[in-house]
Amino acid sequence: MTDARATDGLPRVYLMCPPEHFAVEYAINPWMHPELPVDPELALKQWDGLRQTLLGLGHQVHLLPARPGLPDMVYAANGAFSVDGTVYGARFTHPQRAPEAAAHSDFYRQLGWRYVRPTETNEGEGDFAYLPVAYGGTILAGYGFRTDPDAHRRVQETLSRPVVSLRLVDPYFYHLDTALTVLDDENVAYYPDAFSAGSQRVLRQLFPDALLADRADALAFGLNLVSDGRNVVLNSGATALADRLAAAGYRPHLVELGELHKGGGSVKCCVAELRG
Ligand code: ARG
């Protein structure tokens, strides 16, 4: 499906937040069941397995200190979206997560990056994905559950890249990063039925060679993966998708994140990419 590119497998810079205060205390997506138990120690151990996997692949992982009272803060992908050292900050849909945005903005300001404070509701890399090659950089943006389409327009103005708006229609796939993933500079994989009919047609036109995942792959959080263009880190339950990725020339690395699935997220949700 894909030819090797010079950037494939190169070290990347990520941000993660340890699940020190992780819990399922409220339900803001269909995966969350506050009445079911969560094992906090196991969550931390699984999260660390993901961190070690990324480090072992040669990537850098910054840590965002966890803050008490913010049980979803482990899903660091939702805190911002950055391209070329400019950061478009998050503004969370649900009040329970709203204070997380400040923790992320503090982090980027300390790094010295340009931080753009959003006035539009958006959940960072949960709903924004970046393809560096097509048209000098293209941003795919999800809406329908969390991010306001006004944020898509603001991102286009702020980050000076074309933004393609895609409508999500299935509540189980409430963020773009649960239904679509960027595998390398120009290839994606996605689960078509997570999108409206019109958005499916747009995806087919833009990515005629995309790897199409099925509902079982998507429900196993298989698309919620982190790829450096060569190595693909994904949830251990998504073995069928892992096999297909391997057949397409990628190297899958499976990680177990069962506790964090109880909050409605997996690998990608826990990892924000810092594009400097
Ligand atoms: N419980 C969190 C929420 O509903 C999970 C976020 C998952 N993050 C992601 N990037 N999909 O907001």
Side-chain angles (χ1 to χ4, degrees):
M1 183 184 81
T2 162
D3 300 321
R5 277 152 305 271
T7 52
D8 290 351
L10 285 184
R12 306 227 176 180
V13 184
Y14 297 122
L15 176 67
M16 295 178 69
C17 174
E20 281 161 11
H21 305 285
F22 175 65
V24 179
E25 291 171 354
Y26 47 79
I28 56 173
N29 69 56
W31 303 90
M32 298 176 83
H33 299 286
E35 68 283 6
L36 298 180
V38 168
D39 181 338
E41 265 170 48
L42 183 56
L44 203 50
K45 198 169 148 244
Q46 293 175 338
W47 174 89
D48 199 53
L50 168 59
R51 188 177 73 97
Q52 295 299 341
T53 301
L54 294 172
L55 292 172
L57 292 170
H59 303 303
Q60 194 184 338
V61 180
H62 289 279
L63 291 183
L64 185 67
R67 296 189 182 177
L70 296 175
D72 272 338
M73 207 175 154
V74 60
Y75 304 109
N78 302 131
F81 174 60
S82 65
V83 175
D84 281 352
T86 295
V87 186
Y88 177 65
R91 190 179 160 102
F92 285 84
T93 311
H94 299 286
Q96 295 95 328
R97 297 197 66 187
E100 294 179 37
H104 285 263
S105 90
D106 290 350
F107 171 80
Y108 287 101
R109 284 172 212 251
Q110 269 164 29
L111 270 192
W113 288 21
R114 180 172 164 241
Y115 183 87
V116 178
R117 182 180 297 282
T119 48
E120 309 77 17
T121 300
N122 84 90
E123 298 198 346
E125 288 200 332
D127 276 319
F128 290 109
Y130 186 55
L131 287 125
V133 164
Y135 308 107
T138 298
I139 294 165
L140 304 180
Y143 71 99
F145 295 101
R146 301 286 178 94
T147 295
D148 186 326
D150 282 346
H152 299 185
R153 294 186 270 277
R154 178 59 59 96
V155 158
Q156 176 160 290
E157 292 303 312
T158 305
L159 301 176
S160 312
R161 302 289 196 296
V163 172
V164 179
S165 288
L166 300 166
R167 182 164 164 239
L168 295 161
V169 295
D170 182 331
Y172 279 93
F173 310 109
Y174 57 94
H175 273 144
L176 182 69
D177 72 2
T178 63
L180 179 146
T181 185
V182 176
L183 291 170
D184 54 46
D185 286 356
E186 48 198 335
N187 289 297
V188 302
Y190 66 94
Y191 168 49
D193 285 345
F195 297 91
S196 67
S199 294
Q200 288 185 39
R201 284 193 291 273
V202 169
L203 284 167
R204 275 201 298 276
Q205 279 180 55
L206 289 178
F207 306 106
D209 301 325
L211 191 158
L212 299 185
D214 61 26
R215 189 170 183 82
D217 296 328
L219 285 171
F221 280 118
L223 291 165
N224 195 248
L225 60 77
V226 169
S227 174
D228 64 18
R230 178 184 301 159
N231 301 290
V232 174
V233 180
L234 78 168
N235 172 36
S236 59
T239 49
L241 187 64
D243 288 347
R244 291 184 61 206
L245 289 166
Y250 298 96
R251 292 185 199 159
H253 302 264
L254 297 173
V255 294
E256 164 67 54
L257 282 179
E259 290 309 294
L260 296 174
H261 295 175
K262 298 175 182 173
S266 186
V267 175
K268 171 61 207 162
C269 299
C270 295
V271 180
E273 183 164 356
L274 310 187
R275 298 180 197 82

